[in-house]
Amino acid sequence: MTKKYAIGVDYGTQSGRAVLVDLANGAEIAEHVTPYPHIVIDEELPGLGIELEHDWALQHPADYIEVLQRSVPAVIAQSGINSADVIGLGIDFTACTMLPIDAAGQPLCFNEKFMWNPHSWVKLWKHHAAQDEANRLNEIAAQRGEAFLPRYGGKISSEWMIAKIWQILNEAPDIYEVTDQFVEATDWVISQMTGYVVRNSCTAGYKSIWHKQDGYPNKEFFKALDPRLENLTETKLRGEVAPLGTKAGELTEDMAKLMGLAPGTAIAVGNVDAHAAVPGVGVVTPGKLVMAMGTSICHMLLGTEERHVEGMCGVVEDGIIPGYLGYEAGQSAVGDIFEWYVEEAVPSYVKDAAERDGKNIHVWLEEKAAAYQPGETGLLALDWWNGNRSVLVDTDLTGLLLGCTLLTKPEEIYRTLLEATAFGTRKIVDAFHNNGVPVEELYACGGLPQKNRLLMQIYADVTNRVIKIADSKQTPAVGAAMFGAVAAGSERGGYDSIVDASKAMARVKEETFQPIPEHVAVYEKLYQEYSKLHDYFGRGENDVMKRLKSMKESVR
Ligand SMILES: Nc1ncnc2c1ncn2[C@@H]1O[C@H](COP(=O)(O)OP(=O)(O)O)[C@@H](O)[C@H]1O
Ligand SMILES: O=C(CO)[C@H](O)[C@H](O)COP(=O)(O)O
């Protein structure tokens, strides 16, 4: 039998990437990136001169189709395979990235009548202008004792679907009125390939307050938000929610021509980037926490029972791997904190020395920082440079560096920032582990594990757990390709379940990071100190960070 392949398409914040994968062993045969022509639209609507307000972040839906049109044919051409041997395709996306569509499935921003209104465009996951709606939603849900709140760690985010829809209703009721459906971008792209909309259980569960048994919150809740929202879930959010691991449909003739694939190729239901990375790194059972480590960290974990864990982003049945409860938590800045330090705060002599040694500044600082023992710097930091996503869920918290003297060196501060992010992850690990969702070992994927060995050793020491590292830089795309293979099924040369696909195709590096007992003991003491600061500044005993922030705003 000829070799069979699947394609995974990873839709990031600035670009989309297709990866062609060999179904027998997960080998990545070819890869191609298409930068989005309009990237992130946060100043004015392209070509229309309409200015956007603060905290807006939009995208152009045509950019997503361009990824399919350019990157898919490119990986076929690079690999030299016969396109008929590609039996399935899956995608993963940032989320909640959502858009309003008309009855024909077309984005409202494609229509001359509506394109002038920013609310007709795609709202990207990091569009933060629906905070008022999110605050109000959380107040009303808490007052009504809504059962869904604890499933989201006590708070629904302004990044998610209901807050974004409510903002549209409040600020552009005419756009709300003409919208036939609000859809996640991941589901819309799939609908363009198959011809119809199928919602997926991952984004519905994590971003739209959908529950496998209870469905969406009831009409009374939506009516309490706004009487005009009463029938939202059976009108503009209507449609069956399909579990991950199912087939959304088959590639239409037109899209097959555009993408250079065979018509009828199996297309998997949509998925989220961090969630696709879980089978991508080979995790299909509980006890293994997957960390997608880059500018931020998403922490993903499987469980067998629904538990309520402080500050988690959510727990969703079938949300990551069918048959399990999928848990998500996160840190809103990790690599971004190291970047801030390197760009804004290192002295020029460090930059000069790194340049002289022909090294990137991170690498130079890592080498120097690695010479210190845990506890030797006398420093401690709180990792809240971009607020705290889990477990405090508070975007108004800020960073803290404690213990500096006239002798403090830049590499000591760099090491302390690495440690602070590890302590933040330890908080998340403890929150799950001590609340009935065991965490036995860690799996790391994303850019950071490949870039900084000291960081990975510190995470192993601080969490006292073994860390395995993905053997791919494109773990979400590989995971998406696995879902494509499952959509095709074993009869067509794919797999019958994501568990089978992951077992055959996922790869981790042979080398692991093992906790070093002497380091673990010192970090345990430092973590106790971190926890005291965490609670003192983060749980209301001293709100100085918030007072400083509001003083800054009022002075400005
Ligand atoms: N050697 C390094 N050590 C630690 N952090 C690094 C290093 N090099 C780059 N970074 C950080 O990695 C982050 C980018 O990670 P990456 O996974 O490539 O991106 P993304 O999250 O956008 O997918 C940046 O925030 C950058 O500061
Ligand atoms: O909310 C998320 C997953 O639930 C992600 O943070 C969002 O999708 C963007 O991720 P990234 O910056 O890694 O592309």
Side-chain angles (χ1 to χ4, degrees):
M1 201 170 88
T2 53
K3 271 182 181 258
K4 298 292 175 200
Y5 304 88
I7 291 178
V9 184
D10 170 45
Y11 283 94
T13 299
Q14 305 195 339
S15 60
R17 172 187 314 265
V19 177
L20 178 82
V21 180
D22 183 336
L23 291 188
N25 54 14
E28 291 155 54
I29 310 293
E31 176 196 326
H32 183 269
V33 183
T34 300
Y36 301 144
H38 303 88
I39 322 174
V40 176
I41 304 166
D42 50 12
E43 289 180 2
E44 62 173 51
L45 294 181
L48 301 174
I50 308 240
E51 276 186 31
L52 300 178
E53 287 176 29
H54 189 57
D55 278 344
W56 277 64
L58 306 179
Q59 283 194 322
H60 198 317
D63 293 353
Y64 305 146
I65 303 303
E66 185 153 338
V67 174
L68 298 178
Q69 190 176 4
R70 291 183 53 198
S71 289
V72 173
V75 292
I76 301 289
Q78 260 179 53
S79 63
I81 66 157
N82 179 350
S83 61
D85 291 327
V86 176
I87 59 165
L89 182 146
I91 70 171
D92 67 83
F93 229 103
T94 64
C96 165
T97 295
M98 54 81 75
L99 67 157
I101 57 173
D102 65 18
Q106 287 308 296
L108 292 192
C109 65
F110 285 177
N111 185 323
E112 291 229 337
K113 265 202 287 195
F114 308 120
M115 61 171 54
W116 303 90
N117 191 326
H119 282 293
S120 69
W121 292 68
V122 176
K123 285 188 170 58
L124 182 60
W125 66 276
K126 64 179 182 177
H127 172 92
H128 283 161
Q131 190 60 53
D132 288 348
E133 282 80 4
N135 294 343
R136 190 82 192 105
L137 188 158
N138 285 319
E139 263 170 46
I140 293 171
Q143 276 160 14
R144 292 171 52 87
E146 290 290 347
F148 65 76
L149 260 194
R151 290 202 300 266
Y152 296 95
K155 276 189 193 156
I156 300 299
S157 164
S158 68
E159 287 180 8
W160 299 351
M161 185 67 97
I162 307 301
K164 282 172 167 157
I165 292 178
W166 199 7
Q167 191 202 0
I168 296 176
L169 175 62
N170 285 333
E171 297 176 13
D174 51 330
I175 294 291
Y176 180 87
E177 202 46 50
V178 295
T179 296
D180 183 56
Q181 292 192 70
F182 293 105
V183 290
E184 284 276 350
T186 191
D187 294 334
W188 181 75
V189 170
I190 296 290
S191 77
Q192 295 308 286
M193 288 190 269
T194 61
Y196 45 87
V197 174
V198 178
R199 296 181 190 271
N200 75 85
S201 61
C202 182
T203 51
Y206 288 101
K207 312 295 177 181
S208 293
I209 328 185
W210 173 86
H211 186 263
K212 190 174 175 184
Q213 273 80 38
D214 302 348
Y216 293 104
N218 62 26
K219 285 181 175 217
E220 285 68 41
F221 168 71
F222 281 103
K223 194 172 165 193
L225 295 186
D226 188 317
R228 296 170 296 174
L229 289 174
E230 183 176 358
N231 297 318
L232 174 70
T233 61
E234 59 201 42
T235 55
K236 297 170 197 283
L237 277 183
R238 68 178 183 273
E240 191 201 334
V241 175
L244 289 184
T246 49
K247 182 164 126 179
E250 295 186 348
L251 196 60
T252 61
E253 293 271 352
D254 286 351
M255 285 304 281
K257 240 182 244 149
L258 183 101
M259 293 162 65
L261 294 179
T265 304
I267 307 293
V269 298
N271 204 344
V272 179
D273 44 14
H275 302 63
V278 176
V281 70
V283 170
V284 290
T285 50
K288 300 162 180 178
L289 182 86
V290 176
M291 304 184 289
M293 303 179 75
T295 53
S296 62
I297 299 185
C298 282
H299 302 78
M300 321 295 304
L301 181 64
L302 302 176
T304 49
E305 285 163 47
E306 187 175 295
R307 301 284 182 159
H308 295 158
V309 177
E310 185 194 17
M312 65 180 173
C313 304
V315 51
V316 176
E317 191 171 347
D318 300 336
I320 301 175
I321 300 291
Y324 289 106
L325 278 306
Y327 290 84
E328 179 184 357
Q331 284 169 271
S332 26
V334 174
D336 265 358
I337 302 181
F338 315 144
E339 181 134 301
W340 165 82
Y341 184 61
V342 162
E343 288 191 352
E344 304 294 336
V346 294
S348 56
Y349 81 83
V350 168
K351 292 182 183 163
D352 295 344
E355 199 180 327
R356 253 195 329 271
D357 296 351
K359 287 180 181 146
N360 163 310
I361 301 173
H362 285 282
V363 173
W364 193 91
L365 286 169
E366 182 201 345
E367 278 176 20
K368 296 268 183 247
Y372 288 77
Q373 292 301 308
E376 196 184 342
T377 63
L379 303 175
L380 186 58
L382 286 175
D383 51 318
W384 301 340
W385 263 248
N386 189 19
N388 178 293
R389 195 186 270 186
S390 301
V391 297
L392 298 171
V393 200
D394 193 338
T395 51
D396 286 333
L397 295 173
T398 52
L400 178 81
L401 177 64
L402 184 73
C404 291
T405 72
L406 294 175
L407 297 177
T408 300
K409 295 267 179 254
E411 56 268 30
E412 292 179 282
I413 296 178
Y414 189 76
R415 180 176 179 115
T416 304
L417 295 176
L418 303 184
E419 291 169 344
T421 67
F423 293 140
T425 282
R426 165 82 186 267
K427 275 270 160 241
I428 291 167
V429 169
D430 283 2
F432 282 124
H433 196 73
N434 300 335
N435 284 289
V437 197
V439 180
E440 309 301 348
E441 57 182 357
L442 308 182
Y443 283 67
C445 60
L448 286 189
Q450 320 275 344
K451 290 177 182 144
N452 194 317
R453 295 179 60 81
L454 174 63
L455 180 77
M456 300 320 296
Q457 186 58 53
I458 290 173
Y459 272 57
D461 294 339
V462 166
T463 60
N464 195 15
R465 282 165 173 84
V466 173
I467 307 184
K468 295 182 175 158
I469 310 289
D471 194 21
S472 165
K473 289 190 188 125
Q474 313 302 342
T475 317
V478 172
M482 289 177 188
F483 280 105
V486 176
S490 61
E491 271 177 24
R492 288 166 87 169
Y495 293 94
D496 286 333
S497 75
I498 189 66
V499 175
D500 292 348
S502 177
K503 282 186 177 154
M505 295 166 67
R507 283 167 300 133
V508 286
K509 286 184 192 293
E510 273 185 23
E511 186 196 14
T512 57
F513 287 87
Q514 303 280 336
I516 300 168
E518 307 82 69
H519 293 187
V520 172
V522 179
Y523 277 134
E524 183 56 39
K525 286 191 200 147
L526 277 172
Y527 178 64
Q528 296 310 324
E529 299 296 343
Y530 171 92
S531 291
K532 283 184 206 151
L533 292 178
H534 176 278
D535 290 355
Y536 179 68
F537 288 108
R539 294 194 193 274
E541 206 174 327
N542 187 339
D543 277 336
V544 57
M545 291 170 180
K546 292 169 196 258
R547 289 194 296 276
L548 291 175
K549 207 168 172 182
S550 80
M551 200 183 293
K552 178 171 112 177
E553 273 155 23
S554 61
V555 172
R556 276 183 176 175

